[in-house]
Amino acid sequence: MLGIELPVFAFSHCRDVVVEVSKAGGMGVLGASGFPPERLEEELAWIDAHVDGKPYGVDLLIPNTYEKRAVGKLDIASLIPKEFSEFLARKCDEANIPPLPEAEAKALLKEQLDKVQMTPEEATGLLDVALRHPIKLLVNALGTPPRETVKMIQDRGIRVASLIGKVDHARAQVEAGVDFVVAQGSEAGGHTGNISSMVLWPQVIDAVAPMPVLAAGGIARGSQMAAAITMGAAGVWTGSIWLGTAQSELEPKLKQRLFAAKSEDAIQSRAMTGKPCRMLRSEFSEMWQQPGAPATLPMPLQTIATAEMRMRIQRAGVEPYMSYPVGQVVGDMNSETSVRQVVMTMLEEFLDAAGWLTMLVEESI
Amino acid sequence: MLGIELPVFAFSHCRDVVVEVSKAGGMGVLGASGFPPERLEEELAWIDAHVDGKPYGVDLLIPNTYEKRAVGKLDIASLIPKEFSEFLARKCDEANIPPLPEAEAKALLKEQLDKVQMTPEEATGLLDVALRHPIKLLVNALGTPPRETVKMIQDRGIRVASLIGKVDHARAQVEAGVDFVVAQGSEAGGHTGNISSMVLWPQVIDAVAPMPVLAAGGIARGSQMAAAITMGAAGVWTGSIWLGTAQSELEPKLKQRLFAAKSEDAIQSRAMTGKPCRMLRSEFSEMWQQPGAPATLPMPLQTIATAEMRMRIQRAGVEPYMSYPVGQVVGDMNSETSVRQVVMTMLEEFLDAAGWLTMLVEESI
């Protein structure tokens, strides 16, 4: 369907990872939903220049409508309770997290607000940028895209897929006409549902058959890939494992924290976005559990309200507070590796595991 | 190691399930940790009379010490806050849940308290009962058993295993000298950790190699079994799936509620025991989330404090409040089946899945 040699899909915000995975025979998918259109244009131009014509994809929010809407800009900042801002300020003081230059802090807030209050035209702008490049796959990060938008994209020879974490959502995607779904278990990094991969995958595979299903959540090893394929998945969708490669642009300090973490350190928390998001446990995720801490705000207020603190933590490299969305496979990531190494090891382990099962079954018959 | 034909282990509190699974070539394991010694004696005698000499096992808490200890009996009931008891009474009134006869309520409380304040001698009593029967396997339900107790059991020709949900705990079991471990992912029913099967199993398999590992959590289908074996598990440990069989003694109303449930209805809650326990969502699990509800009490107080209400719900069959520990595979259970049918379907699906993988790999080489 996609002209790839290995059914390994790699979600990454780093263009180098996307290019390397595609060149290794898999399918790199650029996570672009947080990018402004100009940035996406720049990244895709770079990928086109380096990917040697191999297929790659983009993951973004497909806008729900093309219609113009008069969206009055709300004063969102005023919706953040005073105690909440005071709590953040106190925490920054306690941890000696240096402030941002004032102008930068203002620009950051504006950027956050602009992103949240994106009009349908602006959202379409991101999709338009993607469609100007020779992408082979467009993945919808959240919700169900409109049928006509899916068709418009497919008519350009691009396959459309959607991420889902529930059987009902998978069925809605079939209705919307996507080419395949990515079934993501609760062990995945970022926003996920509550159903684990082992339980979710076969249910989704049954529900949407004969539509292909990619397995996501908890995949970093070839044996996990073999398990997914055994259960009927058409391929695997991975994310966390690439964060630890030399091609990932993650801060070195954060990489080291990921390498030191165990699986139980990848917790579900509302700290970052207000929605349950699996991320590395840190002082930032834990401070909301302390007595006297305010409740987290609903999405998107939590993202906006904490943006400055998170940026301050990152700029100053305050390690105990540093966090990042990551799945439970973080426990398997122990030192820096390379994209090519990950792909090769995964393939080797996959063939070992498949060979093992074949041998067992032949012996027992 | 155990003289069984199929590497399928079935945990159940129902002797009929244990017998039927063992007779079908698997290994029935009676969950006995809640039984008084006389009850266990009775159940095991029945199993011995019906199992046709096939191997079976028992799951209980292996006592941590043989030493006599003077355990002063605390007035545990006095540790339950008044507001807590009032909250339960109010909820029972609101839902019109009929009371138990007074004598019965008293006996129930005594039974709960006795269970909690079990002396080491009493706990040993349960183990002694098990050892008087021709069991082939003893599974330790919680914690790490003492090395000398493990050896004493093994010297009688009985294999010893332990349930674990974390890699560190698996290593401790190796130290204790058990024959194998059961690695249970967070999707399982009952008390579990937070790491999903897909991530946990390969980590535990690596950590304890060459000791065999059974895969538990999220297994109700043959394709899931094939996935576990592919990843290197020596066999599978199942529980929830047997609740829906004709051989299960679960109340018919509760069975129907399980058949109607989706995977997302198997939630982690502290409502039953004070520790996170995966169970069917019900008014009983949800009432602790309501505004004004007290916090759940630590184990074992929550179990004791809620015992009467839970018994009232069960006796009167108040459906919206009925719950039971169950894993996320509850979403795959839709109508009553039989033990034999489950075993046969699982085996068929297993061979299908294994054949599918073999074919794929052969084609791609």
Side-chain angles (χ1 to χ4, degrees), chain B residues 57-71:
Chain B
V58 171
D59 175 292
L60 47 71
L61 293 167
I62 295 183
N64 262 319
T65 171
Y66 268 123
E67 289 167 43
K68 289 203 179 209
R69 266 190 306 180
V71 181

Side-chain angles (χ1 to χ4, degrees), chain A residues 80-81 84 87-88 269-276 279 284-289 293-303 305-306:
Chain A
I80 297 164
F84 194 94
F87 171 73
L88 293 175
S269 163
R270 294 179 187 267
M272 238 176 222
T273 66
K275 268 193 160 181
M279 56 189 269
F284 176 73
S285 68
E286 296 311 286
M287 70 189 205
W288 308 91
Q289 316 296 331
T296 55
L297 300 171
M299 199 175 195
L301 293 181
Q302 181 77 13
T303 312
T306 61

Side-chain angles (χ1 to χ4, degrees), chain A residues 63-191:
Chain A
N64 263 318
T65 171
Y66 267 125
E67 287 167 47
K68 290 203 178 204
R69 265 191 304 181
V71 182
K73 295 238 170 184
L74 292 165
D75 184 6
I76 286 189
S78 75
L79 296 175
I80 297 164
K82 195 157 158 274
E83 314 83 76
F84 194 94
S85 311
E86 286 168 356
F87 171 73
L88 293 175
R90 197 165 67 243
K91 284 289 157 191
C92 285
D93 283 352
E94 281 172 19
N96 286 318
I97 304 171
L100 298 177
E102 202 173 321
E104 206 176 331
K106 270 198 182 149
L108 178 67
L109 180 62
K110 186 177 175 308
E111 188 194 307
Q112 290 290 331
L113 291 175
D114 284 352
K115 208 188 284 177
V116 169
Q117 301 206 323
M118 194 181 272
T119 61
E121 295 75 35
E122 287 166 336
T124 304
L126 213 54
L127 176 57
D128 284 345
V129 169
L131 294 179
R132 282 201 297 271
H133 292 264
I135 63 172
K136 289 281 177 295
L137 172 66
L138 209 137
V139 182
N140 184 43
L142 199 72
T144 311
R147 211 185 156 84
E148 55 276 21
T149 313
V150 171
K151 178 137 194 337
M152 179 272 286
I153 299 167
Q154 288 167 333
D155 285 346
R156 295 166 177 241
I158 299 166
R159 300 293 183 161
V160 180
S162 279
L163 268 133
I164 54 92
K166 274 183 163 188
V167 173
D168 293 349
H169 296 172
R171 290 206 184 92
Q173 300 295 340
V174 176
E175 286 302 303
V178 303
D179 295 290
F180 62 93
V181 295
V182 183
Q184 181 172 271
S186 53
E187 49 272 79
H191 293 126

Side-chain angles (χ1 to χ4, degrees), chain B residues 79-85 87-88 90 269-275 284-285 287-299 301-303 305-306:
Chain B
L79 297 174
I80 297 163
K82 193 155 159 275
E83 313 84 75
F84 195 93
S85 311
F87 171 72
L88 293 175
R90 196 166 68 245
S269 163
R270 294 180 187 266
M272 238 176 222
T273 66
K275 268 193 159 183
F284 176 73
S285 68
M287 71 188 205
W288 308 92
Q289 315 296 331
Q290 291 163 7
T296 55
L297 300 172
M299 199 176 195
L301 293 181
Q302 182 76 13
T303 312
T306 61

